[in-house]
Amino acid sequence: MPAKNSLKTLVVSSAVLSLGGLSSAMASNGFSDDVVRIGVLTDMSGIYTDLSGEAAVEAVRMAVEDFGGEVGGVPIEVIHGDHRNRADTGASRAREWYDNDGVDMINDLSNSGVALAVAAVADERQRHAISNSASNIGLTNDYCSPYVTHYTYDAYSLAQGTGKTIVEDGGDTWFFLTVDFAFGIGLEEQVSEVVREAGGQVVGAARHPLDTTDFSSYALQAQASGAEIIGIASTGADAINAINALAEFGVSPDQRPAALLLWYDDIVSLGLDTAQGLMLTNAFYWDANDETREFSQRFYERTGRMPNMAHAGNYSSTMHYLNAVEAAGSDDPDAVSEKMRELEINDFFASGGYIRPNGRMVHDQYLWEVKSPDESEYDYDFLRLVNTIPGEEAFQPLEKSTCHLLNGNGCPAIRARPWPGTSLHSSLAL
Amino acid sequence: MDILGIPIQALMGQLMLGIVNGSFYAVLSLGLAIIFGVLKIVNFAHGAFFMVGAFTAFLLAQYMGANYWMTLLLAPLLVALFGMAFEFLFLRRLYGLDPIYGLLLTFSLVLVLEGGFRVAFGSSGQPFATPELLRGTINLGFMILPLYRGFVIVAALVLCLATWYVIERTSLGANLRAATERSELTQAFGVNVPRLITLTYGVGVGLAAFAGVLAAPIFHVNPAMGSSLVIIIFAVVVIGGLGSIMGAIVTGLGLGVVEGFTRVFYSEFSSTIVFLVMVLVLLLRPAGLFGREEG
């Protein structure tokens, strides 16, 4: 019997010892499961595939490869998934990734509805989420979180760029063609505010469902409104169809369309004949300087397309996240969050960029004009720089943000946790 | 003069646009109705064939230099041939089985076709130029109508009426209707019924492709262009009466107009109105507006 007992003791104690050894190994390298896993949650099969999609995944992969494939001695892994433009699908995929698959950071997040839903999950699970493709400023206002970063652009910067310039240029009566969900409505609100602040007037709006093919009746309503500017608060295929319909129905000479969120890919699709003269606010253009050209050339070789601002943002934000992980020496979300806000972003995408306490990455935005076919000298030579909007002007002033992390004066406040009393580490372990 | 606060001119404009959209619905639902009437197959791939028609036209124009009129003729023929091959190789095996098999097979074809075109051409779409002859606009007094949209109405109506004539007034149509009602008896009279069925599927699919080519200059040619339409087309066929040729044509045009007016008064509701009409019609006339009650 004593022999049996001592054997039992030996087995139990060796098990305890090995477990203890394991946990101390995990603690010593500071990485939760010996891998930093990045999930790219994007539209792989719907209306926004070209704006984000497979190319967004490739941009993140490029960043990981350029970073060296590992950070702090552990490998970096990239997985991807399709949110199918549905907020519930996006949120449940995010939950699954954070809870079961050990995903440390979710990137891209095209579609504002999806991005807001995933931001709420990220905040609840205390893991990182970065949106590069969505525009809704709720991400840095009511839905803000220490773990959520809004990186490339937002509805406010679009309004400050395209909206403000057009109003200042004399276009002061507006009619909106708005896609009927969080993104379109948010964008319409932002631009309306800019128009009214500048003394202009919004005479009306027509809301259309996502993925509308026929815009002819909206074109007629826009004509009948008599507004000088037809603001198109949609993007991708919707914006393309709207611009085509307005061109086909020939809005009267004293009316002109203003595409509030036009992507580089949309211009490729529209063709310069139709798109020439349109203004667009984009954070990135492949042909801006030598650095952007170098990145874009490599991107083109891998994907067969030039990167748009979200693709470039996916690369830059992944790099920034990994730099923060390296600086923190851990993938602990709080430590990484602190480092992300501390480190400055200087690469081909942003110069002197930084992340505010509410998660807004502040960097310069650019107003471009689409060239005419005659002005375009080589392949993909589409845009001319009109204006640079300094980051501080382009994004919502902190004092206007309703983010609960700020105390109302734009200063960081002590954050109320969703479950008071739950310590960070115990909830992480869950 | 205003009606409910909307100037009558604006309403007339929307009526005209409703007829243009209704023309697409009519051609598409006509094809669907013919296929259902003869094959008793719920052709879920109808929207995909519409999209393939537009893409075939785009490819013919882009890579073979075909002009618009050639594409309007060739693309429906090519897509019809593809459809006939699909019927001959796959669909044929499902006759007599539960209709759900046909629905599943055609739905899987949608996924394959849309997915394939998305991989090859992306989701933003490809531009397709309006033919030179039909550029410009006509001033109708109450609205400026792009010439091409006027052409769509004429082309769609001519095609619909021609199809109706062939089915209702010619001996080929008589054989077809006989095959639908009593297929074995028709075969006993020496009519090759299986070939007739393949041909019917080809014609239905060709009509969808024709509508696709008509739509190409108006809508951007993109892989999802059919999937948003196909649900409405199903509603049109159900409202018109399953398998009813004239029902499909008249209901298609009518619903286009109803949808157009809804866009003026309450735009957010425009994607739902068709289904509300469907519910009402099914409550009042379960066999549809032009359908015959069975039994």
Side-chain angles (χ1 to χ4, degrees):
Chain A
M1 290 304 276
K4 200 176 176 186
N5 264 344
S6 58
L7 184 66
K8 207 177 192 175
T9 317
L10 190 68
V11 170
V12 171
S13 46
S14 63
V16 168
L17 272 175
S18 65
L19 273 177
L22 186 68
S23 63
S24 68
M26 281 174 74
S28 71
N29 77 4
F31 290 91
S32 50
D33 43 9
D34 283 331
V35 60
V36 168
R37 199 166 282 124
I38 299 172
V40 186
L41 190 55
T42 183
D43 177 3
M44 299 293 281
S45 55
I47 183 168
Y48 299 142
T49 318
D50 280 2
L51 313 183
S52 46
E54 188 65 46
V57 183
E58 209 51 43
V60 172
R61 282 198 192 116
M62 275 176 77
V64 170
E65 284 168 28
D66 291 353
F67 196 81
E70 57 173 48
V71 57
V74 300
I76 310 161
E77 204 180 289
V78 179
I79 60 172
H80 61 88
D82 187 357
H83 56 55
R84 308 182 75 84
N85 285 307
R86 289 206 292 259
D88 55 338
T89 309
S92 62
R93 176 58 68 96
R95 240 174 247 126
E96 194 184 305
W97 275 1
Y98 288 142
D99 293 351
N100 305 334
D101 300 334
V103 167
D104 296 292
M105 185 269 274
I106 296 181
N107 208 338
D108 191 50
L109 294 175
S110 44
N111 186 316
S112 289
V114 174
L116 291 171
V118 172
V121 177
D123 186 58
E124 187 187 294
R125 298 297 200 264
Q126 298 174 356
R127 296 283 181 97
H128 280 273
I130 302 174
S131 174
N132 281 296
S133 314
S135 75
N136 196 290
I137 63 164
L139 289 170
T140 49
N141 283 274
D142 292 349
Y143 284 77
C144 80
S145 157
Y147 312 104
V148 176
T149 307
H150 203 179
Y151 201 83
T152 300
Y153 78 104
D154 63 21
Y156 193 94
S157 67
L158 297 174
Q160 291 300 312
T162 319
K164 201 170 182 179
T165 308
I166 290 172
V167 183
E168 282 170 357
D169 207 28
D172 52 9
T173 48
W174 286 63
F175 181 88
F176 288 98
L177 293 182
T178 305
V179 61
D180 193 14
F181 78 106
F183 151 63
I185 295 165
L187 186 53
E188 183 193 315
E189 278 169 10
Q190 291 304 316
V191 178
S192 299
E193 208 177 300
V194 166
V195 170
R196 289 196 196 99
E197 272 173 13
Q201 195 192 353
V202 176
V203 296
R207 302 252 162 97
H208 62 83
L210 180 67
D211 215 358
T212 295
T213 39
D214 178 44
F215 276 86
S216 52
S217 66
Y218 302 116
L220 280 198
Q221 288 178 47
Q223 267 178 342
S225 73
E228 285 166 76
I229 306 295
I230 319 289
I232 299 166
S234 61
T235 195
D238 279 335
I240 290 169
N241 282 328
I243 293 167
N244 270 333
L246 289 172
E248 191 193 356
F249 280 82
V251 284
S252 51
D254 46 354
Q255 285 186 314
R256 59 199 161 107
L260 299 173
L261 175 50
L262 205 59
W263 296 79
Y264 181 75
D265 316 75
D266 298 338
I267 301 160
V268 176
S269 183
L270 275 165
L272 290 183
D273 269 334
T274 315
Q276 59 180 307
L278 284 171
M279 302 274 216
L280 58 147
T281 305
N282 266 208
F284 168 90
Y285 173 49
W286 74 271
D287 204 10
N289 56 47
D290 286 343
E291 277 181 292
T292 57
R293 278 188 284 272
E294 190 270 334
F295 167 75
S296 304
Q297 192 56 42
R298 286 197 297 133
F299 186 86
Y300 184 82
E301 279 158 17
R302 291 174 69 130
T303 62
R305 65 195 310 154
M306 283 300 179
N308 64 29
M309 62 170 165
H311 299 142
N314 281 315
Y315 177 96
S316 171
S317 58
T318 304
M319 271 294 185
H320 183 61
Y321 174 80
L322 293 173
N323 282 327
V325 171
E326 191 168 54
S330 158
D331 63 0
D332 173 73
D334 284 275
V336 173
S337 185
E338 207 169 288
K339 285 290 172 199
M340 281 179 80
R341 278 151 182 73
E342 202 178 291
L343 298 173
E344 206 178 68
I345 299 149
N346 283 303
D347 57 9
F348 70 87
F349 179 75
S351 155
Y354 68 95
I355 296 173
R356 286 176 175 165
N358 65 344
R360 175 70 256 166
M361 202 284 260
V362 177
H363 58 126
D364 292 353
Q365 299 284 308
Y366 308 95
L367 183 70
W368 310 90
E369 188 182 350
V370 181
K371 290 182 175 179
S372 69
D374 294 339
E375 290 167 303
S376 172
E377 288 169 7
Y378 40 89
D379 282 353
Y380 305 105
D381 174 24
F382 290 165
L383 304 181
R384 182 187 33 247
L385 182 67
V386 176
N387 199 6
T388 301
I389 308 144
E392 294 301 330
E393 280 174 39
F395 294 103
Q396 184 189 37
L398 264 186
E399 57 272 18
K400 280 193 177 177
S401 171
T402 56
C403 173
H404 63 273
L405 298 168
L406 309 165
N407 64 6
N409 308 318
C411 301
I414 307 225
R415 178 172 178 260
R417 292 247 167 250
W419 300 299
T422 315
S423 88
L424 228 177
H425 296 286
S426 67
S427 57
L428 251 184
L430 289 171
Chain B
M1 198 180 125
D2 287 6
I3 296 176
L4 295 172
I6 311 280
I8 189 113
Q9 285 209 331
L11 284 180
M12 292 292 286
Q14 296 296 346
L15 174 73
M16 202 66 206
L17 292 177
I19 295 174
V20 176
N21 274 344
S23 305
F24 285 115
Y25 295 164
V27 177
L28 280 165
S29 50
L30 174 66
L32 201 61
I34 294 174
I35 291 172
F36 184 81
V38 176
L39 282 76
K40 298 283 179 264
I41 287 277
V42 182
N43 187 31
F44 222 85
H46 215 66
F49 285 123
F50 167 80
M51 176 272 290
V52 175
F55 262 107
T56 309
F58 165 76
L59 292 172
L60 285 171
Q62 190 83 359
Y63 297 107
M64 318 218 10
N67 70 28
Y68 176 77
W69 307 104
M70 282 157 71
T71 64
L72 194 61
L73 189 75
L74 279 177
L77 275 177
L78 291 172
V79 180
L81 283 176
F82 173 71
M84 281 154 74
F86 174 70
E87 192 277 340
F88 187 77
L89 294 172
F90 300 103
L91 213 50
R92 171 162 296 202
R93 291 155 216 284
L94 304 178
Y95 299 147
L97 295 177
D98 192 310
I100 194 82
Y101 288 98
L103 197 145
L104 283 174
L105 178 69
T106 51
F107 185 62
S108 62
L109 183 67
V110 174
L111 297 179
V112 171
L113 289 175
E114 284 192 4
F117 277 94
R118 191 176 296 117
V119 169
F121 299 99
S123 65
S124 301
Q126 305 290 333
F128 192 96
T130 309
E132 201 76 51
L133 193 64
L134 297 172
R135 281 180 201 165
T137 52
I138 337 163
N139 192 342
L140 298 176
F142 56 86
M143 75 175 291
I144 309 279
L145 182 74
L147 210 51
Y148 185 79
R149 301 236 177 188
F151 165 73
V152 166
I153 303 178
V154 176
L157 279 182
V158 167
L159 189 72
C160 285
L161 292 177
T163 311
W164 175 83
Y165 182 82
V166 169
I167 291 174
E168 300 288 337
R169 295 283 184 271
T170 64
S171 60
L172 178 69
N175 283 344
L176 197 68
R177 280 179 290 132
T180 314
E181 302 271 335
R182 294 268 191 284
S183 110
E184 281 170 16
L185 197 61
T186 314
Q187 198 143 13
F189 277 104
V191 177
N192 187 341
V193 173
R195 190 187 295 163
L196 204 60
I197 287 179
T198 308
L199 196 69
T200 308
Y201 193 75
V203 169
V205 165
L207 283 171
F210 184 84
V213 186
L214 278 185
I218 297 185
F219 311 133
H220 238 50
V221 179
N222 75 75
M225 66 192 288
S227 56
S228 49
L229 269 178
V230 74
I231 305 292
I232 296 178
I233 301 309
F234 273 106
V236 170
V237 173
V238 171
I239 296 169
L242 283 174
S244 162
I245 307 295
M246 204 37 122
I249 299 172
V250 174
T251 315
L253 283 169
L255 282 182
V257 172
V258 170
E259 200 186 51
F261 281 140
T262 315
R263 285 200 177 127
V264 187
F265 292 109
Y266 186 40
S267 172
E268 290 89 335
F269 198 56
S270 60
S271 53
T272 318
I273 184 76
V274 172
F275 305 102
L276 184 74
V277 174
M278 185 173 86
V279 169
L280 289 175
V281 168
L282 289 181
L283 281 175
L284 299 171
R285 283 182 65 94
L289 294 175
F290 293 77
R292 278 172 301 171
E293 300 268 357
E294 281 184 26

